[in-house]
């Protein structure tokens, strides 16, 4: 029976590198942001390569969900799904999540905003998805009766083997050494938007050692957004699997 893993993240948050890590397992297929076209079509937001994204994926909610909870690609034992929390628009049924093992990937808001602004020049609180991430986390915690796994991107970089081992244990799958490194370059599984967003991960062959540097400088507007986001991030961080 296939184990479906839904990893819930915001943008600019090690999410594609983590997808690479899982995809390098011998037993795993992946889905890269399957609700992206739906999100763009419903909101009308202008993102890089918008037309290409809209043409590359189904835009109807039910059609996307059917692909996620149906047969896994090539009958894979593990089906890893990389989801952006801000793609989960209000009013659409999240009941399908019960068919997945759900986990949450987090990053300090200041770092997310600095990275996001480099790509798009501006950001809103909704763009980084942390409010919606907390809402989805609370929904899943209520369903389970306990907190689902939360992983901090910085913990993965600082101790990839230990953090991924604990994540796999929390998800009920064995850890694989193949998760530690992968070949550089693009993947057929990457979203069509990869040229606009994935330049760094395409050069990577594993999880880079974290740089010892000062927190990123933010504009006044971005600092205000970071302040708004921080309570949601800190609430999730208290449940991270590496927390003491």
């Amino acid at each position: 029976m296939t184990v479906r893993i839904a990893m819930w993240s915001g943008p600019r948050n090690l999410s594609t590198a983590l997808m690479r890590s899982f995809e390098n397992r011998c037993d795993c297929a992946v889905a890269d942001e399957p609700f992206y076209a739906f999100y763009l079509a419903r909101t009308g937001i202008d993102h890089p390569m918008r037309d290409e994204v809209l043409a590359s994926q189904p835009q109807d909610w039910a059609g996307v969900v059917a692909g996620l909870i149906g047969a896994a690609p090539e009958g894979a034992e593990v089906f890893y799904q990389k989801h952006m929390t801000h793609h989960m628009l209000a009013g659409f049924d999240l009941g399908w999540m019960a068919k997945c093992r759900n986990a949450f990937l987090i990053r300090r808001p200041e770092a997310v905003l600095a990275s996001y602004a480099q790509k798009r020049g501006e950001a809103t609180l909704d763009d980084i998805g942390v409010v919606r991430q907390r809402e989805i986390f609370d929904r899943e915690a209520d369903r389970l009766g306990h907190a689902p796994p939360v992983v901090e991107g910085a913990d993965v970089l600082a101790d990839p083997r230990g953090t991924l081992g604990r994540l796999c244990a929390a998800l009920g799958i064995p850890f694989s050494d193949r998760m530690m490194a992968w070949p550089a370059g693009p993947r057929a599984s990457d979203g069509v938007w990869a040229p606009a967003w994935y330049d760094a991960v395409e050069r990577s062959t594993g999880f880079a050692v974290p740089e010892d540097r000062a927190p990123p400088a933010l504009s006044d507007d971005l600092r205000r957004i970071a302040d708004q986001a921080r309570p949601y991030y800190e609430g999730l961080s208290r449940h991270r699997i590496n927390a003491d």
Side-chain angles (χ1 to χ4, degrees):
M1 183 176 65
T2 297
V3 174
R4 293 175 180 81
I5 296 170
M7 182 60 71
W8 298 96
S9 174
R12 316 309 296 165
N13 188 17
L14 204 72
S15 58
T16 308
L18 194 57
M19 181 176 71
R20 284 282 192 277
S21 174
F22 273 84
E23 187 174 19
N24 208 51
R25 297 170 59 105
C26 293
D27 59 356
C28 189
V30 302
D32 189 8
E33 301 183 30
F35 288 97
Y36 196 2
F38 160 83
Y39 168 76
L40 292 180
R42 283 280 174 165
T43 62
I45 290 174
D46 185 22
H47 272 202
M49 302 185 67
R50 171 186 165 86
D51 290 344
E52 290 86 346
V53 176
L54 290 171
S56 71
Q57 293 179 327
Q59 298 175 24
D60 64 299
W61 180 270
V64 178
V65 168
L68 297 175
I69 63 176
E74 300 180 358
E77 295 177 22
V78 178
F79 185 15
Y80 180 92
Q81 304 166 10
K82 170 192 162 194
H83 293 296
M84 295 288 107
T85 54
H86 59 290
H87 294 173
M88 299 296 104
L89 301 179
F92 288 86
D93 183 20
L94 296 179
W96 62 272
M97 287 177 55
K99 297 184 181 295
C100 301
R101 299 180 189 180
N102 296 276
F104 295 79
L105 176 64
I106 61 173
R107 187 185 188 191
R108 289 185 303 109
E110 296 84 357
V112 172
L113 286 162
S115 179
Y116 192 90
Q118 287 180 347
K119 287 292 185 180
R120 295 203 65 209
E122 60 183 19
T124 68
L125 184 61
D126 286 342
D127 285 334
I128 63 172
V130 66
V131 176
R132 188 62 168 143
Q133 187 176 39
R134 181 58 195 265
E135 292 172 351
I136 295 170
F137 170 89
D138 287 343
R139 183 186 189 282
E140 181 66 1
D142 287 345
R143 185 183 74 84
L144 295 174
H146 58 82
V150 176
V151 63
E152 166 72 64
D155 291 339
V156 177
L157 295 178
D159 179 17
R161 183 177 295 275
T163 305
L164 293 177
R166 284 184 281 275
L167 175 61
C168 288
L171 292 169
I173 63 172
F175 171 76
S176 169
D177 284 333
R178 290 179 59 89
M179 299 176 72
M180 296 297 296
W182 52 84
R187 299 289 186 277
S189 56
D190 289 345
V192 70
W193 55 89
W197 298 96
Y198 291 179
D199 51 325
V201 78
E202 286 181 0
R203 294 192 301 270
S204 73
T205 57
F207 295 106
V209 176
E211 298 180 11
D212 184 14
R213 59 184 179 183
L218 298 176
S219 68
D220 289 345
D221 286 344
L222 292 180
R223 277 200 302 272
R224 282 192 287 272
I225 295 170
D227 289 342
Q228 293 173 322
R230 193 170 299 109
Y232 299 96
Y233 163 79
E234 290 176 348
L236 291 164
S237 183
R238 285 194 288 272
H239 298 283
R240 76 188 199 275
I241 56 177
N242 280 33
D244 295 331

